[in-house]
Amino acid sequence: MTTRTADTDVPRRRARRGEGDRLREDILQATIGLLAETGDLDAVSIRAVAKRVGVTPPSIYLHFPDKQSLLDAACEPVFADLARYFAEACHGVSSPLERLGLMGVAYVQFALDNREPFRIVFMSRCESDTIMSMTPADLEAQTAFGPVIQTVVEAQQAGLLGAGNAREVAMRLWIGVHGVASLLISKPYFPWPPIEQLVNDFVCMVGLGLLVQTRVPGSAADKFATMLADLPVVESASPAGNVPKSAS
Amino acid sequence: MTTRTADTDVPRRRARRGEGDRLREDILQATIGLLAETGDLDAVSIRAVAKRVGVTPPSIYLHFPDKQSLLDAACEPVFADLARYFAEACHGVSSPLERLGLMGVAYVQFALDNREPFRIVFMSRCESDTIMSMTPADLEAQTAFGPVIQTVVEAQQAGLLGAGNAREVAMRLWIGVHGVASLLISKPYFPWPPIEQLVNDFVCMVGLGLLVQTRVPGSAADKFATMLADLPVVESASPAGNVPKSAS
DNA sequence: GGTGGAAAGTTAGCGGTGTTCAGATAACAC
DNA sequence: GTGTTATCTGAACACCGCTAACTTTCCACC
């Protein structure tokens, strides 16, 4: 008749010798589940996680130094999925340029499918960030950022994109779709256009921009001058919609 | 004589009848100051604000229904400055297209100058968002978003940008620079390229993309096809210096 | 000058949070 | 059985947002 103060349904069996790490895994799963089900970071308190696991709060500190570390660790397996999103989006698509666009769309979809982890990793302050304090090399090797860079390189080698630092090009692409993802998450009630259209239009814009930026020679001003000169002139007061014009 | 438990240096003189709103203003200023000085939202507790003002915590609830409302109210005057950032950036620049680019750069600068307010308004969950639940019309009239749309319209009228929903075009521009701003804020330790270059390259890319997107006729696929056909072909093997060493 | 009334602020406290540390307990080797 | 020790708990600290009930101060009016 032990008086259980731990407020839980099924009081965990204590782990066997050497199996202490089992609890660690259970804590992570409980955290991930709580994040996904509540969709609210505030609902994921140390006490709530402990209760779900069937253990008392201090036990968590045997496996994680503090709450932030727990959250970071819980987001890691979620983010491992991002690579899968990318792979599936690119499946069977040969053009590297098209693949980059599809990866962008997939990034937004991933963010919307994993809002809280995305928030934790990309939208909250983190002093000593595990993911982000990696060296550039590690970052490319261990995160989903690597495939993006690789695809940029392929596009360059195929002559679709002009030469340029592939890492920085990939960053620009990432930054762009990150704007979409983070705004859709933080401002869901904003009067956005239909999401699919919004994402497509944006990705299209960025893709075209990159094309021109890397292929037209000269300074930024030169590029603009060239494009303004080359593109068909549009009449000033156009009424509405995409008016088809006499192409030259 | 009076035993003061309120932990503060100079015990405020009580406001006179009808001057209760003076405290409200002081609370707002204390909140803004605390946010700016600590640069840490966690440091801005109701108790901390109250102490800074020289008052006890419950007094704050005489002027703000809850903490979130206080934070929102504190961010409002800060964000009023965004319009000034835009105006200064555009000062004396005639080309609407160029102005749009400068506004983008100014947006990032504003975010970096006001990190915590930017975080609060744009990077944290807010169920019933004051700013974001406005009607599109109010939004354009009362926020800095209006001038952006206006500039897009001017660019269209000048024949620089093709016709299209100016509001959606402005959104795309906003989304883009928002990606830059939010990532620079949330990941300051990431190995970014020099910020100025990063921002310029990104804004240039988006600008060129928008140019093409709105001026080249046809579907998205058509636009890509047109540009791939029209732009100078680039040699496949890019020269040294730009090739990332993924394996070497 | 006294006095009632209301505005302006305070005291005390509730239930919650992340975190710490000394102690209890259960699993194993012998 | 006994001792060791990995594993986990009880109790507590300092802080949080927030509330209800109370006190103080100011002011208009008689």
Side-chain angles (χ1 to χ4, degrees):
Chain A
M1 222 35 178
T2 60
T3 81
R4 288 200 61 81
T5 60
D7 185 6
T8 170
D9 300 328
V10 44
R12 268 180 78 86
R13 240 189 91 80
R14 178 185 289 239
R16 314 190 121 165
R17 287 276 172 104
E19 287 185 0
D21 282 353
R22 218 196 61 204
L23 176 56
R24 184 192 153 92
E25 196 50 41
D26 289 358
I27 291 172
L28 281 180
Q29 287 309 319
T31 306
I32 294 174
L34 224 43
L35 275 176
E37 287 168 23
T38 67
D40 181 5
L41 183 52
D42 292 338
V44 182
S45 65
I46 291 283
R47 283 168 168 86
V49 171
K51 176 175 173 179
R52 187 174 171 116
V53 176
V55 100
T56 56
S59 302
I60 292 180
Y61 290 89
L62 298 175
H63 298 278
F64 303 93
D66 52 34
K67 186 184 180 183
Q68 190 57 50
S69 302
L70 167 60
L71 291 177
D72 288 345
C75 289
E76 209 179 292
V78 177
F79 264 77
D81 246 23
L82 180 53
R84 210 174 352 260
Y85 272 73
F86 282 170
E88 282 184 16
C90 293
H91 184 70
V93 178
S94 58
S95 162
L97 208 52
E98 196 173 340
R99 285 210 302 273
L100 285 174
L102 292 170
M103 284 169 127
V105 176
Y107 182 84
V108 176
Q109 189 58 53
F110 170 82
L112 294 178
D113 288 346
N114 303 276
R115 301 175 110 95
E116 292 311 303
F118 192 86
R119 258 207 162 82
I120 293 169
V121 171
F122 280 132
M123 299 167 72
S124 58
R125 97 145 58 275
C126 25
E127 309 301 339
S128 67
D129 196 317
T130 56
I131 293 182
M132 291 305 145
S133 62
M134 295 161 69
T135 72
D138 285 342
L139 197 127
E140 290 163 26
Q142 297 177 23
T143 72
F145 198 46
V148 180
I149 299 176
Q150 188 52 41
T151 310
V152 169
V153 171
E154 288 175 33
Q156 289 175 327
Q157 288 171 343
L160 295 168
L161 290 182
N165 186 316
R167 213 172 73 89
E168 292 185 5
V169 167
M171 265 188 201
R172 285 205 284 281
L173 294 176
W174 170 40
I175 289 173
V177 288
H178 183 83
V180 185
S182 73
L183 275 178
L184 284 179
I185 285 183
S186 71
K187 300 296 161 198
Y189 301 135
F190 189 83
W192 302 113
I195 292 188
E196 195 179 350
Q197 176 207 320
L198 177 78
V199 178
N200 282 336
D201 285 352
F202 186 86
V203 168
C204 173
M205 176 184 75
V206 168
L208 291 168
L210 195 63
L211 215 61
V212 175
Q213 188 178 43
T214 63
R215 289 177 65 154
V216 173
S219 68
D222 291 341
K223 295 175 207 283
F224 273 98
T226 302
M227 295 317 290
L228 284 171
D230 285 3
L231 290 178
V233 177
V234 281
E235 68 275 19
S236 53
S238 46
N242 286 334
V243 184
K245 44 188 62 68
S246 54
S248 56
Chain B
M1 183 60 84
T2 61
T3 81
R4 288 201 60 81
T5 58
D7 184 6
T8 171
D9 300 328
V10 44
R12 268 179 77 85
R13 236 190 94 79
R14 176 186 292 239
R16 314 188 122 172
R17 285 278 173 103
E19 287 185 0
D21 283 353
R22 217 195 62 204
L23 175 57
R24 182 192 154 92
E25 196 51 41
D26 290 356
I27 291 172
L28 280 180
Q29 287 308 319
T31 306
I32 294 173
L34 224 44
L35 274 176
E37 288 168 22
T38 66
D40 180 4
L41 182 53
D42 292 338
V44 183
S45 65
I46 291 283
R47 284 167 164 89
V49 171
K51 176 174 175 179
R52 186 174 172 117
V53 175
V55 99
T56 55
S59 303
I60 293 180
Y61 291 91
L62 298 175
H63 299 278
F64 303 93
D66 53 32
K67 186 185 180 183
Q68 190 57 50
S69 302
L70 167 60
L71 292 177
D72 288 345
C75 290
E76 207 178 292
V78 176
F79 264 77
D81 247 21
L82 180 53
R84 211 176 348 265
Y85 272 72
F86 281 171
E88 283 184 16
C90 294
H91 184 70
V93 178
S94 58
S95 162
L97 208 51
E98 196 173 341
R99 285 211 302 274
L100 285 174
L102 292 170
M103 283 168 127
V105 176
Y107 183 84
V108 176
Q109 189 59 53
F110 169 82
L112 295 177
D113 288 346
N114 303 276
R115 302 176 111 94
E116 292 309 305
F118 192 85
R119 259 207 159 81
I120 292 168
V121 171
F122 279 133
M123 298 168 72
S124 57
R125 97 144 59 275
C126 24
E127 308 302 338
S128 68
D129 195 317
T130 57
I131 293 182
M132 290 306 145
S133 62
M134 296 161 66
T135 72
D138 284 343
L139 196 128
E140 289 162 26
Q142 298 177 24
T143 72
F145 198 47
V148 180
I149 299 176
Q150 186 53 41
T151 311
V152 169
V153 170
E154 287 176 34
Q156 289 176 325
Q157 288 171 344
L160 295 168
L161 289 181
N165 187 317
R167 215 171 73 88
E168 292 185 5
V169 167
M171 265 187 201
R172 284 204 285 279
L173 293 175
W174 171 39
I175 289 173
V177 288
H178 183 82
V180 185
S182 72
L183 275 179
L184 284 179
I185 285 184
S186 70
K187 301 294 159 200
Y189 302 134
F190 187 84
W192 302 113
I195 291 189
E196 196 179 350
Q197 177 209 319
L198 176 78
V199 178
N200 282 336
D201 285 351
F202 186 87
V203 168
C204 172
M205 176 184 76
V206 168
L208 291 168
L210 194 63
L211 215 61
V212 175
Q213 188 177 44
T214 64
R215 288 177 64 154
V216 173
S219 68
D222 292 340
K223 295 175 207 284
F224 273 98
T226 303
M227 295 316 290
L228 284 171
D230 286 4
L231 290 179
V233 178
V234 283
E235 69 279 16
S236 54
S238 36
N242 293 330
V243 183
K245 51 276 182 184
S246 50
S248 62

